[in-house]
Amino acid sequence: MRGPLVAGISVPRIEGMAKVRGEERYASDITGPGILWAVARRAGIPSGILRSLGDEPVSMDGVVAVCKADSIEGENLLGVLEPDQPVLVPLGGRIRYRGDPVAVVVADTRERAEAAARALTVEIDPLPAVFDPPEALSPDAPLLYPDREGGNLLVSGWVRRGDAKSVLEDCDLVEEDVFRFPMQEHAYLETESGVALYDGENLEMEVSTQNPWRDRDELSRALGLPRERIRVKAPCLGGGFGGKDGVVIQGILGAAAMACPGRTVKMVFSREESFLCSPKRHSSVTEMTLGCSSDGFLRAIRCRFTLDSGAYASMSVPVLTNGLDHCCGAYRFEAVELEGRAVYTNNPFGGAFRAFGAPQVMGALEQLVDRLAKRLGMDPLEFRKKNGLVRGDMNGSGVVLTSTVGAVPCLDRALEQEIWTSREEWRNSAPEGKARSTGAALICHGQGFGPGIPDFANARIELTEEGRFRLYSGIPDMGQGNGSTYVHLAGEPLCQERDRFDLVQPDTDRSLRSGPAAASRTTYIYGRALLAAVDELKRRMYVKAGMVLGAREDDLVLLPGRMRCISSGRELPLEVLAGFMELPERCSVAGSLAPVSFPGPETDYGPKNSGFPHCIFSWAVHVARVEVDLFTGQVSVPRYLAVTEAGRVVNPQMYRQQVEGGVAQGLGYALFEDFSVKNGEVVSKDLSTYIIPTSMDLPEVECLAVELDEPSGPKGLKGLGELPLIGPLPAVANGLANICGPLTASPFTAERVFFSLSGGARDEGRV
Amino acid sequence: MKVEFNLNGEDLSMELSGDERVLDILRDRVGIPSCREGCGTGECGACTVLVDGESRLSCLMVSAQLDGKTVTTVEGIRDLPRWAPLFESFDRLGAVQCGYCTPGMVLAAVDLLTRNPDPSRDEVRIALSGNICRCTGYRAIVDAVMEGAEIMRGLSL
Ligand code: FES
Ligand code: FES
């Protein structure tokens, strides 16, 4: 685009060309002479006590250091909400899953570090293990944390409003079922990676992370180094999706670096290690009951859902509460009774993954909604329209929605699209041996954190001596393009072209703390802070230009590269203007606290943590055409529509990227991705057994935006990152239900669908 | 063993043990970071290089297989006018998100377009199916290859 940036126009991302040309540097690309490699040794046993570690690596070729728990000076514990995860398991300490690191070996090459880590003898006294949440809750189950109050129950929460039980008894129609969804793996192409250097005093780390500031805090506590002596930088990430929101590699990398002062240490997880040790989308069991009246009004919902937290708490608490918050979806209910549990087991641990607990509940809810519509003989979208929330309604969590609510507008748009109006023709056009159908889902996703954690960001922007604008991003870009969107947001009020901006990626020493790239908050909250910082910078530029040009401020206008005096026509190039300003004047900082938290809804609720309740949401209707091969059960999704309301669209290209990427991951979750774990061992160890979609597997997503103007959002936008992932599973399931009956266990593989087609007994799937 | 090969137009001669992965040689010894590891087992395509003009997975090749070959990475073609429209299309059409897969995708596209300058969308999809992208959903990547190809045909480069 030529000319100053304007909201609403597509602009390619600022670092796009560098990425195509292979010039962008990811944490895994950082290299140099004399760099050392660190490799962790993992327990390989799901439960036990670490008895001893050998010393074999010490004498091996190229080995520089062997780091064990006793060389760590801090608390040696990681975890944001529950510090339950050791950086390295100490002798006598407990092994809770196969991926627990017991030592890190540093050597001059990766091969030598790997060989040395393998050579280390590890003695573990095995203990009984438990892999299934209900079993883990039974009174005689082995306890992962014997001293912990609550045993294996990590957290439970409830939401109650009205008397759901008696309203359900009074309902004309009731649908209920139990839904089982497996773990999902992020499978970002760049595995966990980073480099670290400890100079004897300070630890500096450049790592693929979604939250460098929280990493710094955690490293400080775990490794026993004051916060001021730790610097964490986040270059562009090769994908994150939530999996890099939390310390996965940083702890062992930091410990390894501290064992080799003065040498740069690099660590890159192998794909297999990443699959075992990174957090997963929680596997879940959702038991749900939904009731409505004969004239088509939803009345009550009951839900109990259980998440397998695995060995560590990670983000399970907010994932659970966010799930509770999304249980009732986009609908009005008289009465609500929800219960959620997250349970420790000896499996790989669950954590943050795009949409954070919402897919596990809306994947169930939207199927039951469809069944009720079908029994009433109603168009499923009309049924949703009748029950969809509008502004002023109270949602399931007891929040009266006072911001933009796009549910019904999205339904209206979807109802008139050809993919929906032609669904009869599509159904009737099935060739011999195939069946065709169309399924839909209405979804929503909350904006930012819930109460309990203030959702703030601090922006920093600087007019440089060269008359350029340097924008210090406070939130990592894992590929979603937030950095470019910040430039876009700042570019319009500053009336500048994209090329006049330099973007500094998050760095705890240069940019300002702004929280994680998570919770669909990134653009919304950093954007608010940034616009305030831009306003202040502009004000100072006008004051200074007025003094230099001897003009009134209202006689000045900021144009690309210069300030112009309207009446005299005199112009002041920005580099000249900058020369009149000292650094503190040229650099503007502003913070913003997002109005997404809500002090207390009109409901009785248990979980007092981040993730419940939200008060601003984005909304969407997804429609999937499905086709099933009746002989093999093979499912294909040849056409897909996403109608989205996430406020105003600042950059249509980036907006579309978010929708398409989310749908792609959601279709993977629905159709292929089965992260299979047996006795705590990951069975799908690589990308040939854990199948994610290729270019042959995905439809070209039709992407429509309904643009309501969200008054609280920068330029009227709302967050969009997580929302699109939620829709594909229920939309596809609803399409398939017309062909092979209800499917309550995912993914919808050919085997499952074929089994269901041939009228097999209900497939209970895996927990 | 001594291995001689041509990398992006430059003749190299290196003393290597015959079983080193080409991916590691390129990344760690020669300093070609754009050739990336996503899986190490031949499933993702992030490590794609052109060997004598054909796309190959460098994580599955060992040094001995390099001898006498010509190896091309994006560094070797990114400044050639012939491929400029393809690079520009990737950027302009938003075929890049995290970008980790992108150099491999570009090379897979170069391999296809060298053999078939006028592919159908389906042919593009098939040609890229060995390269996984976790971010984009592929539509924009296919668009970029189609449009890049069209511009290049117009320029008859
Ligand atoms: S790294 Fe070679 S194909 Fe994935
Ligand atoms: S852009 Fe992230 S993997 Fe392709």
Side-chain angles (χ1 to χ4, degrees), chain A residues 302-318:
Chain A
R302 283 182 87 185
C303 176
R304 183 168 82 153
F305 82 111
T306 307
L307 298 178
D308 181 356
S309 179
Y312 296 107
S314 182
M315 297 284 181
S316 289
V317 176

Side-chain angles (χ1 to χ4, degrees), chain B residues 17 19 21 25 32 34 54 74-75 83 88 95 101 105 116 118 124 127 137 149-151 154:
Chain B
S17 67
D19 61 350
R21 298 192 307 171
I25 297 168
I32 301 279
S34 72
E54 279 181 34
V74 283
E75 285 80 357
W83 298 110
E88 279 156 20
C101 68
M105 284 287 179
N116 176 6
D118 188 7
V124 173
E150 190 184 328
I151 296 169

Side-chain angles (χ1 to χ4, degrees), chain B residues 10-114:
Chain B
E10 199 186 324
D11 286 322
L12 296 177
S13 166
M14 300 175 84
E15 197 53 49
L16 299 166
S17 67
D19 61 350
E20 276 179 67
R21 298 192 307 171
V22 169
L23 173 63
D24 298 324
I25 297 168
L26 293 178
R27 282 180 72 79
D28 298 334
R29 290 191 186 249
V30 197
I32 301 279
S34 72
C35 183
R36 301 209 169 86
E37 176 158 5
C39 65
T41 47
E43 287 124 20
C44 75
C47 67
T48 301
V49 292
L50 301 179
V51 177
D52 291 345
E54 279 181 34
S55 76
R56 300 284 301 273
L57 300 173
S58 65
C59 71
L60 296 183
M61 281 181 77
V62 292
S63 43
Q65 292 170 283
L66 271 187
D67 202 37
K69 298 283 200 269
T70 302
V71 178
T72 310
T73 66
V74 283
E75 285 80 357
I77 54 167
R78 66 191 178 197
D79 293 318
L80 301 180
R82 168 162 176 34
W83 298 110
L86 183 66
F87 282 82
E88 279 156 20
S89 296
F90 264 76
D91 177 37
R92 186 179 62 256
L93 300 179
V96 186
Q97 291 193 26
C98 84
Y100 206 76
C101 68
T102 312
M105 284 287 179
V106 169
L107 291 169
V110 164
D111 176 38
L112 167 70
L113 297 178
T114 308

